[in-house]
Amino acid sequence: MKIRLDRKLPSCPKLLLCTVTNAAFEVGNIRIFLYTDRGLLLGDISPDCLRLSSSEIRQKLREQACAILHPEEAGCDRDASPTRERALELLQAAQEKVKFPSAFDWWIKKFEIFSEESQEIEAARTGLSDYYVLERSRLQKILDDDRE
């Protein structure tokens, strides 16, 4: 498994569920995703779970899979529980070693976010964002006319 970092989008909800513990957490500027070695996105990881070791994350994923497969033992409602396929995905992922992002990866992601936010602020300040909206609406009108 690999942990990847990405920018939190404006459409992202304030609270997310951690894939590892299934607990709600508040997301910061950087979203932390867990991917399998095959590139399958498993979900978000809370900052608390990021402090766990690879073996602890793998153990908690196995526990999540068991809770899905046996909801009555975990005190969950079977109808509200995720599917069996999700449990199998978690069990397969629990076999893989976790690769954490390096300090350099964190630094680069923070720099990218700062750069993107600076560009957005500058575009708004200079009015370029209004220009792009106007040009896009003109392009959309041309495309709509071509469809008719």
Side-chain angles (χ1 to χ4, degrees), residues 74-107:
C76 300
D77 180 16
R78 180 175 286 279
D79 295 334
S81 67
T83 62
R84 178 178 167 80
E85 289 80 22
R86 176 67 174 164
L88 294 176
E89 288 173 359
L90 293 176
L91 285 173
Q92 283 180 332
Q95 304 300 317
E96 303 171 2
K97 186 174 177 172
V98 180
K99 298 171 193 100
F100 292 91
S102 68
F104 182 72
D105 294 330
W106 282 98
W107 185 84

Side-chain angles (χ1 to χ4, degrees), residues 106-122:
W106 282 98
W107 185 84
I108 289 292
K109 187 51 67 180
K110 287 178 183 181
F111 182 75
E112 285 176 8
I113 291 171
F114 174 76
S115 175
E116 289 171 3
E117 288 174 350
S118 298
Q119 289 174 358
E120 291 167 1
I121 291 169
E122 186 63 20

